Amino acid sequence: MQNPIRVSVTGAAGQIGYALLPRIASGEMLGLDREVILQLIEIPPAMDALRGVAMELEDCAFPLLRDIVLTDDLDRGFEGAHLALLVGAKPRGKGQERGDLIRENGPIFVGQGRAIAEVADDEVRVAVVGNPANTNALIAMSSAPGLPRERFTAMTRLDQNRAMAQLTGKAGVPLTDVTNVGIWGNHSATQYPDFENARIGGRPAEEVIGDRRWLEGDFLTTVQKRGAAIIEARGQSSAMSAASALVDHVRDWMGGEATPEGDWVSMAVPSDGSYGIDEGLITSFPVRTDGKGGYEIVQGVELSDFARGKIEASVAELQEEREVVRDLL
Ligand code: NAD
Ligand code: LMR
């Protein structure tokens, strides 16, 4: 693996950026043996704020932080990047769905996808956070035809972490007992957090919890609507937990931490047709990562009619989003 590693972050002066950058620079994301060059990308009105963020990063005196580049130029920002974290985009406000942002945020990912294909390292990996994340990743991937499709992912790890937190709270067990939590579909209110295959202490979560009504009801809706609940309470969308989930996503994918044997994690990745989902659609699946930049969609997960119905509804929403941005693909 490269040392130092070049990490480009868009929207670096935003809320998520503020919670994320110290965790990259400290080595939590990519390993304590890997130096990092941060290439921070913003739009011109946010460059002053970005300079302030960079001053703070310097003042943290992180031993692994080799250099910081600040720019509003995509070619400079993605030059030689080994990892591109596409965070910069407008967040939704109270009463909005993430999909409402699609026409405003979608075009951002055309230029970014192109620039990544042109100037980033040949081995670059991309994780999209800006909403609607799945479809923005689809736009970036479609704008970068020279790069293998599987390099483009969108983050649903926050949804997985939310589901794990709900299960651990209900079962009264340590978080580390909860495994095999798969998020299927869109990072939206239609997502399906699969409780039927989740395990607690190695046993089916359903058996441990013993309350199917709760799992089908409060559990599902709490996870699906957690983002909106945070906006309602905080007046701003999640940032600390989003940054933390991105650390998890990248650490497991390419930061040296392969998925433990028998477990899986959730990532939105281009479908390869698995489970009958349209090839190329960026859909959240249970995946197994190798910690070195590779992953595979877990095959043979048993899905009940209930689960299939939920997944189909979320995939249908992704297909609709794809139609709304057809001109950008
Ligand atoms: P924010 O408004 O605090 O910051 C966004 C930053 O992006 C701003 O500094 C802005 O100047 C910058 N930006 C806007 N357009 C840009 C462009 N074209 N290039 C580079 N930078 C650009 O927002 P935030 O809270 O940091 O959230 C960022 C995005 O992440 C939002 O779309 C939000 O909905 C999304 N989000 C996704 C998840 C997830 O789980 N996938 C979780 C939380 C937030
Ligand atoms: C989240 O899940 O917290 C983010 O996608 C922000 C949002 O709009 O909900």
Side-chain angles (χ1 to χ4, degrees):
M1 279 279 178
Q2 312 78 9
N3 203 1
I5 184 163
R6 292 183 175 271
V7 183
S8 300
V9 183
T10 68
Q15 288 200 88
I16 295 175
Y18 197 75
L20 175 68
L21 298 175
R23 300 196 57 187
I24 306 175
S26 66
E28 276 180 82
M29 179 183 268
L30 292 154
L32 294 172
D33 53 354
R34 195 98 67 94
E35 290 191 330
V36 177
I37 297 175
L38 285 175
Q39 305 190 167
L40 308 182
I41 305 171
E42 262 295 352
I43 49 175
M47 287 305 290
D48 277 342
L50 188 60
R51 278 185 271 280
V53 171
M55 286 184 229
E56 285 208 64
L57 276 170
E58 283 168 19
D59 298 347
C60 289
F62 290 117
L64 292 172
L65 183 55
R66 173 78 80 82
D67 197 8
I68 310 174
V69 174
L70 309 181
T71 185
D72 58 8
D73 178 79
L74 293 181
D75 286 345
R76 178 140 191 264
F78 290 119
E79 182 152 25
H82 303 108
L83 172 64
L85 303 176
L86 307 188
V87 178
K90 192 176 165 183
R92 65 174 161 158
K94 285 186 190 180
Q96 280 190 304
E97 285 302 326
R98 299 178 186 95
D100 296 338
L101 301 165
I102 199 166
R103 288 300 319 177
E104 212 169 334
N105 284 342
I108 295 174
F109 295 84
V110 175
Q112 293 184 354
R114 273 191 206 134
I116 290 168
E118 274 168 30
V119 302
D121 187 83
D122 288 347
E123 292 295 317
V124 66
R125 302 296 192 269
V126 182
V128 176
V129 173
N131 277 319
N134 300 52
T135 298
N136 288 337
L138 180 71
I139 296 169
M141 179 181 82
S142 307
S143 306
L147 285 175
R149 292 199 303 194
E150 65 273 12
R151 302 283 186 77
F152 288 83
T153 65
M155 186 175 88
T156 51
R157 185 61 173 260
L158 178 53
D159 306 294
Q160 176 193 322
N161 289 348
R162 287 168 172 166
M164 290 173 74
Q166 291 303 309
L167 292 174
T168 203
K170 182 77 173 175
V173 296
L175 190 88
T176 45
D177 280 9
V178 181
T179 61
N180 301 85
V181 176
I183 303 293
W184 295 76
N186 199 0
H187 172 61
S188 77
T190 67
Q191 68 178 269
Y192 175 58
D194 176 9
F195 56 81
E196 291 178 337
N197 287 290
R199 300 185 84 80
I200 298 178
R203 288 168 57 209
E206 213 176 325
E207 195 182 291
V208 175
I209 285 176
D211 186 350
R212 171 101 194 176
R213 264 179 70 140
W214 178 80
L215 288 164
E216 277 189 25
D218 278 358
F219 167 75
L220 272 193
T221 51
T222 300
V223 177
Q224 289 171 329
K225 297 185 178 166
R226 189 65 156 192
I230 289 166
I231 293 169
E232 192 57 42
R234 225 169 74 84
Q236 286 188 303
S237 63
S238 66
M240 183 204 323
S241 55
S244 199
L246 189 55
V247 171
D248 295 340
H249 176 115
V250 175
R251 186 198 57 226
D252 292 0
W253 185 13
M254 59 185 287
E257 296 237 348
T259 311
E261 195 57 39
D263 199 358
W264 54 63
V265 292
S266 301
M267 273 167 65
V269 302
S271 172
D272 58 359
S274 293
Y275 301 95
I277 295 171
D278 297 15
E279 238 186 295
L281 202 62
I282 305 261
T283 309
S284 186
F285 288 99
V287 304
R288 293 183 45 77
T289 61
D290 66 6
K292 298 178 199 158
Y295 64 80
E296 56 184 24
I297 296 172
V298 180
Q299 299 299 317
V301 177
E302 273 186 41
L303 297 170
S304 65
D305 288 347
F306 173 83
R308 284 189 185 278
K310 297 281 180 202
I311 295 168
E312 274 165 26
S314 197
V315 169
E317 183 186 48
L318 283 169
Q319 290 165 333
E320 282 162 30
E321 288 186 10
R322 182 175 58 188
E323 287 318 304
V324 175
V325 298
R326 185 56 79 185
D327 59 315
L328 303 177
L329 301 178

